[in-house]
Amino acid sequence: MNIRARNPRTGAYDYEFTPPTLAELHELAQRQRQHQPAWAALPLAARGAVLQRWQTALAANRADILAALSADTGRYLLATIELDGVLRAIDRWCKLAPALLQEEEQQSVAMPSISFRTQYVPYALVGVISPWNFPLTLSLIDAIPALIAGCSLIIKPSEVTPRFAEPLRQSIAAVPELAAVLAVVPGAGATGAALIEAVDAVCFTGSVNTGRSVAEACARRFIPAFLELGGKDPVIVTAAANLEQAAATVLRASVAATGQACQSLERVYVDAAVYDEFVKLLVAQAQEVTLNYPDIHQGQIGPLIFDRQAEVIADQLADAMAQGAQILCGGAIETHGGGKWLRPTVVVNVTHRMKLMTEETFGPVLPVMPYSTLDEAVALANDSEYGLSAAVIAGDLIEAETIARRLDAGAISLNDGALTGLMYEAEKHSFKLSGLGGSRMGPASLLRFLRKKALLFQHGASLPLAAFDEALAARDSEAKG
C-alpha cells in the first residue's frame, strides 16, 4: 500500500511512495550481508576512496537533492546546510579514520611474556531509522562512519519526509561499490520494526516512546541500540551576562529550524535581577523574526514540518495559559498557503507544573522563568527527565563553566547555545531519557560500529597444568608460616 506525504508549505499530500514488503526487506538485508565481507576486506584507504567518489556524485545531484529536501522540510537554506554538512562529513571521516583504526601491539604489565593487539570487527549490517526534522543529516550522521568502519547499511527515513530518498539513491547508484552495501528504503513504523529484526545494530533518532520500543526490540535480539531521543534543553542566563547578546543567542538557539531540533533551547532561566530587562530584549528581537513565506528564499523561520506537531504545541500553550502563563508574542498557529506556521513565542509566568516546562515542545516557543540563586537555577535546569544538552550564558567563560559542570546533560554550550547542532567533534552521551549507547559525536561515533577482538600473543612458555596444582598453595603456605 502506498504512503502519501504532506507538503509542509502547502498542506497538500502531493507525494506518495511504496514501502518495501517484508519479503523485499528480507531479500535486501540478505544481499547487503553478502556484499559486506568484501567491503570490510577493502583497505581503509580504498573504502575512503569509494566515499569520495560518492561525495562527487552527491555534488552532481545537488540540485535534485536540494529540491526534494526543500519540499520535504519547507526550507531551502537549512537543506543546503544539511547537504554541505554531509559532504564535509565524508572528508572528516576519511581524514580521521586511519589514526582511529590503527592496530598497535601492546605489552601486558601483569604478564610480561604476553603482548596483545586489538582487531576491529565491524557489525555486518547496521539499520538506521531517521526522523523528519533533519532528514538528510540524521540519515547519514551515523551511516558515514559506519561505512568507513566496514559495515553495510539500510537506512529507513521517516515517512513524513521521504522525497529526498530518491535523489539520494541515485547518487548511491552512481558508485556501484557503495550501492552494494548502502540502501535507502523509506517506510513507516512497520518497515522500521521489520528492519530491527534484520540487522545487527540499530541507530535510531526520534521520540522517547518509540526509542523505548526500539531498545526493547533490540534487547530481545541481543543487538546494540544507539538511541538519540528527545530533549528539553535549558539555558541559564546570569546577571553578569551581556543581555542583548544573551537574548540574541537564546532566540537563535530556540527558534532556528523553527525549533524543530533536539538541541533547541526549550527552557530559559534568568537571574531575577535582570529578568525584566532580558524578557523585554527577547520579545523585541522575537518580534523582528520573519516567516519565509511566501518566498522560500526569504525570511528566517519555516513551516512546521509535521502537522501533528502543531497540535502538540497548541496543547502545551493552552495548558500553560490555563495555569496562569502569559504569552508576550506569537502563540497562534497560523495557516499560510496551506502550511502551518508559528512565530517565535515568548511565554512568562511559567512553572514546572506546566507541560510547556516538562514535555518536549519541538517548536519556536521560549518559556522564561526567573531564579533567585544559582542553586535554584541549577535545580530547575536539572528538574527534567531529559538530559540531551543545555547552555549557560554568563559574564565570562569561567563563570559559565562553573555552572555547566553542575548540569545533568550530555553537552553544555558556554556563552552560546545549541552548539552540538553546529560542531560534531566533541564526544558526548545523552543523559536520562534523552538517549542510550555510545556517542554519535567525535571518534566514538565510528568506534561504535566495531567490536573489539583481543589477539593475545604468548612470547614465552605456556603455563603447564602443574602450575595450578593445589599442592603448590599448601607448600607456599607452609613456607610463609
Side-chain angles (χ1 to χ4, degrees), residues 248-270:
T249 298
V250 169
L251 180 66
R252 186 266 304 161
S254 299
V255 310
T258 320
Q260 298 167 125
C262 297
Q263 74 280 355
S264 295
L265 296 178
E266 294 200 356
R267 294 179 289 145
V268 186
Y269 302 103
V270 182

Side-chain angles (χ1 to χ4, degrees), residues 210-453:
T210 306
R212 182 177 283 111
S213 297
V214 170
E216 290 170 351
C218 289
R220 285 193 294 271
R221 295 197 58 235
F222 275 73
I223 64 173
F226 305 116
L227 312 178
E228 181 150 311
L229 309 177
K232 191 69 182 173
D233 287 7
V235 55
I236 294 174
V237 179
T238 73
N242 179 322
L243 295 185
E244 184 87 31
Q245 183 59 48
T249 298
V250 169
L251 180 66
R252 186 266 304 161
S254 299
V255 310
T258 320
Q260 298 167 125
C262 297
Q263 74 280 355
S264 295
L265 296 178
E266 294 200 356
R267 294 179 289 145
V268 186
Y269 302 103
V270 182
D271 190 301
V274 295
Y275 173 81
D276 290 338
E277 183 180 356
F278 175 87
V279 169
K280 181 179 178 181
L281 289 167
L282 182 63
V283 169
Q285 294 182 23
Q287 290 174 327
E288 294 297 317
V289 175
T290 57
L291 303 182
N292 75 338
Y293 179 85
D295 184 357
I296 194 172
H297 299 292
Q298 299 292 327
Q300 300 164 309
I301 191 165
L304 297 170
I305 297 172
F306 190 26
D307 58 339
R308 294 182 194 170
Q309 200 62 36
E311 300 171 10
V312 172
I313 296 169
D315 175 69
Q316 290 188 11
L317 290 174
D319 172 74
M321 293 282 285
Q323 297 187 62
Q326 181 183 3
I327 295 175
L328 300 184
C329 62
I333 304 295
E334 303 177 17
T335 299
H336 298 287
K340 295 183 178 181
W341 309 73
L342 178 64
R343 298 178 190 273
T345 299
V346 178
V347 189
V348 295
N349 297 337
V350 292
T351 73
H352 278 218
R353 295 189 301 274
M354 301 172 181
K355 296 178 184 179
L356 188 62
M357 296 298 285
T358 57
E359 298 180 5
E360 187 172 37
T361 302
F362 228 62
V365 183
L366 302 91
V368 190
M369 187 173 179
Y371 66 84
S372 299
T373 67
L374 279 177
D375 285 345
E376 181 189 8
V378 170
L380 288 168
N382 288 338
D383 181 24
S384 174
E385 63 183 7
Y386 297 104
L388 189 63
S389 45
V392 180
I393 302 177
D396 55 43
L397 289 173
I398 294 174
E399 181 189 15
E401 182 180 1
T402 300
I403 300 167
R405 288 181 174 275
R406 301 174 63 188
L407 300 183
D408 297 333
I412 318 295
S413 299
L414 308 183
N415 281 359
D416 209 324
L419 287 179
T420 56
L422 303 173
M423 194 276 289
Y424 299 161
E425 285 103 316
E427 290 190 4
K428 72 177 189 69
H429 289 104
S430 299
F431 287 28
K432 303 178 186 177
L433 297 187
S434 285
L436 182 70
S439 173
R440 70 166 11 158
M441 308 287 186
S445 182
L446 187 154
L447 297 175
R448 290 177 300 162
F449 302 109
L450 296 158
R451 291 158 293 177
K452 292 182 177 181
K453 182 194 295 184

